[in-house]
Amino acid sequence: MSHVVTIEEPQAKPQMSQTRCGGRSGPWGKVSANRTYDFLYDPLFIMSSEKDHNQANIQATLIRSKLRRVPRYRTMFSSLFHYPRYSVYWSKADPVPSFISRDWKGHEERHKETLRKLAVTDTSFQMPKEVYEDPDVTGKNRYKYFERPFLPFYQQMPFNVVFASTRAEPYTFPPPSTKYLPIPSMYTVGTQTDYRDAEVQTDPYSPEYIVCQDSIPELLTLATLTWGRGLPAGQAEVEMIERAREKRAWEATLPALSDTSQFEKRRRMMNAMERKEWAFREQEIEKLQEIRLEVLKELLKKRDENQNEVNMACLNAQWSKLQEVKEAKLAQIQRTHVSAIRKLLGKGKNIEGKLERRNIIKDYSDYASQVYGPLSRLGRFTDNNSEDFVVKNHYLNTYEGLVELESCLPDFVTQPRIRPPKPKVTTTKDGFLKRAARMDHELAEVHKALLEKKNKGLEAKKPMRFLQRKPIPQPQLPTPTLEMNSNEEEDIEMAVIYLQKLLRGRVVQNMMFEGKEKRLELIQELRTSHALQEEDRLVKKAEKQVTLALQRQRNLHEHKVSLVENHLAGLEGWVLADMFDFLSKELVRLQEERRVHALAMLAERQRRMREAEESGQRQVEERRLQEEDQIFKEVIKVHQSTVTSYLEDIILNTEENTAEEQARAEIEKMAEEINDIAYEMESRRTQLQSEEIAAELVYSFLIPELQKGFVKEKVRNAQQKHILAAHQVIHRYTEDMLQKHCVEQQQASDTELLEGETENEQNS
């Protein structure tokens, strides 16, 4: 089941439609780089490795979007975000059919390449016949026959291959009369194909061929050369082909292996050929070394040129930097000169040096003054880079841009959410008012009182125009007093009052002590710097003198200690210098000794390496000789086994043919004897014997069939009773259950009808 996801879209965004065409389009089409599944469908699409094939497969899977839009018909034309116009679901459909293979095609090419190399090295191996899918020249393969390969030389050689016979064409009817030309019903204006036509990705087409049984064409020795790997052939390939021809001619002149008298001559010829091959290999190595030297010279020359270019670039950069500094200094000197001239002109206008106030009315009445047109040398640039502040944007100048910009914005921009401010917490966890809150409240009250006092001002006394009645203040209530009934109560009250005074005094004393402890350092600092009483001043002065005396004593002691340390350091330095001199000389001697020892070790190691290389070469030569001997033995063994198997096959085929001919002759002889006996019996047989033979045949054929029919009918009748009993038992219970089910359905439908009627009555 697909998963449905709802996506809200307030406005539809304009989408750019992209059209993908095939590899080669018509006269009016466009050519694209590639399509998503070209690596699966296109037979001319070549991937370099299996890793690239897997990467292309992953990229195609990621590019293809599996999200599908399903419109909602009720809100299809809605632009509200809570009523979306469509839903999105995840599609599980695969665009690639199941019969299309997703494997890499390079494995087959590698297998074919391996078979070609094996066919070249092993002449006994038969290359499997390659069956082409559609080798016709006409049709879709016609473009393969329009390009001829470039050959560096052309040589007339007889062909050693026999091409396949052409297929029989179907019968074609004779053409109609050309008296009246046919009028075509349609014309082909252009052709558009779904496949590529790039020559860089295709190999030249080669038709299939059939090799004769008793011939090995020379052309098949070049089967390892493919397009891009030796083809089209150059000078190196031509030289290789000529060497191969010479080697084949030399192999043809070698004495046969079966001739033991020519074995020494064969070995001398093989040694000479081996020396010749080694000489050719040395020439190739020398050529490669010369080529590498030329390449190295070119690289060194290029490096020198690059280094010269870098040096010239650095010099040019330095020269340009100095020129810029020079121009900046000249500009600064010129600006200073202009400023000095301007100052002199200003002083010349006001020689007496009187100060003049600014006339604002004159400045604003004169439109040529600094108010309306300030000078740039005074640091005022009114229209400097004003065009940078002009906003030119597609999203702000057009309605479509505004709609698209609004659709890109998140919801909280177009639908702001107002969050109520959190009340400021002014109390602690225990419910007490914080000190900062209390201070803010007191400051607010003081500020409010100051504002009231400032706004109130002094009220002037108004003269009395009429007599006014002075209100008589109400008498204050009498102060309550506590009547003491006895002296004991009065003593208790006084004791309580005294205790309250003691507690309050202790509280004040503790507060003062805490303040003193908190500011003890400040008090000490004030006491040390500001002594108010005379005695304290004398004490401070005496402490100062004692401190100065201690400082002088300490300085003298430090001076003496420094002198002693300097003398000791000099002695130590002299001793250490002698010791370091001796150690450095010993170190140099040891280093020289080790260097000489290392050189001796390197010389010994080089000598051993050369001995090892020479011994390795000797071992390689001995091993190569043993391998050649073993190869010679194996070749002789193979030839002997081949001759043996060939003789065995001839003997077995001869035995089989002889046995088959003898068996056929004996069978024919027995058949003739049996036919003679049968013909003789038929000639002697009477009519009664013929009827008896016919009756026996009929009896042996009809009676068993009748018995089989009677037995089958008897078994069928016996089984019919049991089947009827089983049917009765099964159908009896099923009919009862069907009746019960029908009754229950009828009751359920009746209850639903009653409930519907009651609901309708209640609604009415």
Side-chain angles (χ1 to χ4, degrees):
M1 182 176 180
S2 302
H3 301 283
V4 180
V5 182
T6 303
I7 291 180
E8 300 175 356
E9 186 187 39
Q11 294 292 339
K13 299 181 181 180
Q15 297 179 354
M16 299 295 293
S17 61
Q18 298 180 355
T19 306
R20 283 182 171 265
C21 305
R24 184 181 68 179
S25 61
W28 305 280
K30 295 182 180 179
V31 179
S32 61
N34 58 355
R35 291 161 294 181
T36 308
Y37 295 101
D38 268 353
F39 65 96
L40 296 178
Y41 291 105
D42 196 347
L44 306 180
F45 195 98
I46 298 174
M47 304 299 292
S48 60
S49 63
E50 188 174 5
K51 181 179 179 182
D52 296 339
H53 178 83
N54 296 333
Q55 187 175 2
N57 195 1
I58 293 170
Q59 188 176 6
T61 305
L62 294 177
I63 288 174
R64 185 176 62 84
S65 178
K66 292 188 177 182
L67 295 176
R68 298 291 182 268
R69 294 185 178 184
V70 179
R72 293 187 175 183
Y73 295 102
R74 294 186 179 181
T75 59
M76 184 181 294
F77 303 100
S78 174
S79 59
L80 302 176
F81 67 94
H82 55 280
Y83 288 107
R85 64 183 66 182
Y86 62 85
S87 301
V88 177
Y89 76 97
W90 185 268
S91 177
K92 294 183 178 180
D94 192 358
V96 181
S98 59
F99 60 86
I100 297 296
S101 177
R102 289 180 177 265
D103 297 335
W104 184 44
K105 303 174 184 178
H107 295 296
E108 298 178 0
E109 298 294 333
R110 289 182 179 177
H111 182 64
K112 292 179 182 178
E113 188 70 21
T114 306
L115 291 178
R116 291 194 193 100
K117 292 181 179 179
L118 184 60
V120 172
T121 56
D122 190 0
T123 56
S124 63
F125 178 74
Q126 291 293 335
M127 185 76 179
K129 184 179 179 181
E130 187 174 0
V131 180
Y132 290 93
E133 185 177 349
D134 189 5
D136 289 341
V137 179
T138 59
K140 65 179 182 180
N141 298 323
R142 184 173 178 77
Y143 71 95
K144 298 179 181 178
Y145 298 89
F146 277 91
E147 185 175 3
R148 304 180 70 179
F150 174 74
L151 298 176
F153 63 92
Y154 182 77
Q155 184 178 0
Q156 292 291 339
M157 292 179 61
F159 293 101
N160 293 327
V161 296
V162 180
F163 291 95
S165 60
T166 57
R167 294 187 300 179
E169 297 291 337
Y171 176 75
T172 55
F173 292 95
S177 176
T178 58
K179 185 177 181 181
Y180 299 101
L181 296 176
I183 299 175
S185 60
M186 59 184 67
Y187 295 93
T188 301
V189 179
T191 304
Q192 179 176 353
T193 177
D194 293 336
Y195 300 97
R196 296 190 173 186
D197 197 11
E199 295 179 358
V200 296
Q201 291 185 356
T202 58
D203 295 338
Y205 176 74
S206 299
E208 62 181 357
Y209 55 87
I210 298 173
V211 182
C212 294
Q213 188 173 5
D214 299 333
S215 65
I216 301 176
E218 185 183 9
L219 192 62
L220 291 182
T221 59
L222 305 178
T224 56
L225 299 179
T226 59
W227 186 260
R229 297 179 181 177
L231 291 179
Q235 184 178 0
E237 284 77 15
V238 172
E239 292 177 357
M240 182 188 69
I241 293 169
E242 293 296 333
R243 286 197 305 273
R245 287 177 176 175
E246 291 177 1
K247 191 170 183 181
R248 284 196 296 272
W250 172 79
E251 288 175 354
T253 59
L254 281 175
L257 290 171
S258 59
D259 191 0
T260 57
S261 62
Q262 300 291 333
F263 183 77
E264 189 66 26
K265 181 181 178 182
R266 180 182 179 88
R267 190 175 64 180
R268 287 198 302 271
M269 292 177 67
M270 290 179 69
N271 291 334
M273 178 56 69
E274 185 178 359
R275 285 194 296 271
K276 186 178 179 180
E277 288 180 355
W278 277 110
F280 176 75
R281 180 58 181 164
E282 288 176 357
Q283 291 178 1
E284 285 187 344
I285 291 171
E286 289 177 359
K287 289 181 181 179
L288 288 175
Q289 289 178 353
E290 291 176 359
I291 293 171
R292 288 179 181 176
L293 286 174
E294 293 295 332
V295 172
L296 185 59
K297 289 179 182 178
E298 291 293 332
L299 290 175
L300 291 174
K301 185 178 178 181
K302 190 176 292 183
R303 187 187 69 177
D304 294 336
E305 292 176 359
N306 294 335
Q307 188 64 32
N308 293 331
E309 289 178 0
V310 171
N311 294 334
M312 290 299 295
C314 292
L315 290 174
N316 292 333
Q318 188 68 19
W319 183 79
S320 61
K321 188 182 295 183
L322 294 175
Q323 287 294 115
E324 289 176 359
V325 172
K326 178 184 175 182
E327 291 175 0
K329 287 183 179 180
L330 290 175
Q332 181 66 29
I333 292 169
Q334 189 175 3
R335 284 195 297 271
T336 307
H337 172 70
V338 172
S339 178
I341 295 297
R342 193 182 298 113
K343 288 179 182 179
L344 289 174
L345 291 175
K347 288 181 180 180
K349 291 180 182 180
N350 190 7
I351 299 174
E352 297 178 356
K354 294 182 180 180
L355 298 176
E356 295 182 0
R357 290 187 177 182
R358 178 188 174 190
N359 192 351
I360 299 175
I361 297 174
K362 183 180 179 182
D363 293 340
Y364 277 90
S365 62
D366 186 9
Y367 291 102
S369 62
Q370 296 289 330
V371 176
Y372 295 100
L375 297 176
S376 59
R377 67 170 180 267
L378 299 179
R380 296 288 300 277
F381 303 92
T382 54
D383 296 335
N384 188 17
N385 298 327
S386 60
E387 65 276 1
D388 295 343
F389 301 99
V390 178
V391 179
K392 296 179 182 179
N393 196 345
H394 167 72
Y395 294 100
L396 300 178
N397 296 338
T398 59
Y399 175 73
E400 293 81 2
L402 288 173
V403 172
E404 186 174 355
L405 182 62
E406 184 181 357
S407 63
C408 296
L409 295 176
D411 295 339
F412 64 86
V413 177
T414 56
Q415 299 175 2
R417 300 180 181 87
I418 300 173
R419 296 180 180 178
K422 295 181 180 180
K424 190 175 180 180
V425 179
T426 57
T427 57
T428 60
K429 295 181 180 179
D430 299 333
F432 296 100
L433 191 65
K434 293 183 178 180
R435 183 180 297 176
R438 184 170 64 250
M439 189 176 293
D440 292 342
H441 181 67
E442 292 176 357
L443 290 174
E445 289 182 352
V446 171
H447 181 64
K448 185 177 180 182
L450 291 174
L451 289 176
E452 289 178 355
K453 187 175 181 181
K454 182 179 179 181
N455 295 330
K456 186 176 182 181
L458 298 175
E459 295 182 357
K461 294 184 179 181
K462 297 180 180 180
M464 297 178 62
R465 297 178 62 185
F466 303 101
L467 294 175
Q468 295 180 357
R469 186 175 180 179
K470 188 175 182 180
I472 300 173
Q474 295 182 359
Q476 296 182 355
L477 295 175
T479 304
T481 57
L482 182 62
E483 296 180 357
M484 298 296 176
N485 295 328
S486 62
N487 293 330
E488 294 180 356
E489 293 179 356
E490 186 175 358
D491 294 338
I492 292 170
E493 184 180 0
M494 293 301 292
V496 170
I497 292 170
Y498 184 70
L499 183 60
Q500 289 177 355
K501 288 180 179 180
L502 287 176
L503 292 173
R504 288 172 183 171
R506 177 59 66 180
V507 169
V508 173
Q509 186 178 3
N510 289 334
M511 290 175 65
M512 291 177 66
F513 184 75
E514 289 177 359
K516 176 188 173 184
E517 291 294 331
K518 288 180 180 179
R519 296 166 179 82
L520 185 61
E521 295 179 357
L522 181 60
I523 293 170
Q524 293 292 339
E525 184 179 358
L526 291 173
R527 283 181 179 179
T528 54
S529 58
H530 300 83
L532 300 178
Q533 296 182 4
E534 189 68 23
E535 295 178 356
D536 295 338
R537 291 178 182 176
L538 294 174
V539 171
K540 294 298 179 183
K541 189 174 182 181
E543 290 179 354
K544 182 178 180 182
Q545 291 177 357
V546 171
T547 305
L548 292 173
L550 291 173
Q551 288 180 355
R552 285 194 294 272
Q553 290 178 1
R554 187 181 64 184
N555 292 333
L556 290 172
H557 180 70
E558 289 179 354
H559 182 64
K560 291 179 181 180
V561 172
S562 64
L563 290 175
V564 174
E565 289 179 352
N566 289 333
H567 288 295
L568 292 175
L571 294 173
E572 290 175 357
W574 179 66
V575 174
L576 290 173
D578 293 341
M579 184 175 64
F580 286 151
D581 186 19
F582 174 74
L583 291 175
S584 64
K585 291 178 180 178
E586 286 292 323
L587 180 62
V588 170
R589 186 181 64 80
L590 288 174
Q591 288 178 353
E592 290 295 329
E593 185 179 355
R594 289 183 180 178
R595 188 171 66 82
V596 172
H597 182 66
L599 291 174
M601 293 291 290
L602 287 173
E604 184 67 20
R605 181 172 175 271
Q606 191 172 6
R607 184 180 64 80
R608 291 180 180 177
M609 288 175 64
R610 289 180 179 177
E611 290 179 356
E613 289 178 357
E614 292 176 357
S615 63
Q617 290 179 358
R618 288 196 297 270
Q619 291 177 3
V620 169
E621 291 177 359
E622 292 175 358
R623 192 182 300 110
R624 184 168 53 79
L625 292 174
Q626 292 177 1
E627 288 178 356
E628 290 179 355
D629 295 340
Q630 187 66 26
I631 290 170
F632 178 73
K633 292 178 183 178
E634 292 293 333
V635 169
I636 296 298
K637 189 176 180 180
V638 168
H639 283 294
Q640 290 177 355
S641 62
T642 305
V643 171
T644 305
S645 61
Y646 177 68
L647 294 175
E648 288 178 355
D649 292 339
I650 291 173
I651 293 168
L652 290 174
N653 291 331
T654 306
E655 290 178 354
E656 289 178 358
N657 294 332
T658 306
E660 186 178 357
E661 290 176 359
Q662 291 178 359
R664 187 178 289 107
E666 291 178 358
I667 290 169
E668 288 178 356
K669 186 177 180 181
M670 290 175 65
E672 289 177 358
E673 292 177 357
I674 292 169
N675 287 333
D676 294 338
I677 295 169
Y679 291 150
E680 187 178 358
M681 289 177 66
E682 286 182 359
S683 61
R684 293 178 182 178
R685 187 178 58 193
T686 60
Q687 184 67 24
L688 182 60
Q689 290 177 352
S690 299
E691 290 179 359
E692 287 179 358
I693 292 170
E696 288 179 358
L697 291 173
V698 171
Y699 181 79
S700 62
F701 178 71
L702 292 177
I703 298 302
E705 291 295 329
L706 292 174
Q707 289 180 355
K708 288 180 182 178
F710 289 142
V711 171
K712 288 181 180 178
E713 187 67 25
K714 189 175 181 180
V715 171
R716 190 182 297 110
N717 293 331
Q719 290 178 353
Q720 191 70 24
K721 296 187 291 182
H722 301 290
I723 292 171
L724 288 174
H727 276 291
Q728 289 178 2
V729 173
I730 292 169
H731 286 293
R732 184 176 62 207
Y733 290 106
T734 54
E735 288 177 358
D736 296 339
M737 292 186 70
L738 288 173
Q739 290 178 1
K740 289 181 181 179
H741 185 64
C742 292
V743 171
E744 289 177 357
Q745 286 185 351
Q746 186 67 26
Q747 290 177 0
S749 60
D750 294 340
T751 53
E752 288 179 358
L753 289 173
L754 290 174
E755 289 178 357
E757 290 177 359
T758 52
E759 288 180 359
N760 293 329
E761 290 177 0
Q762 289 177 2
N763 293 330
S764 61

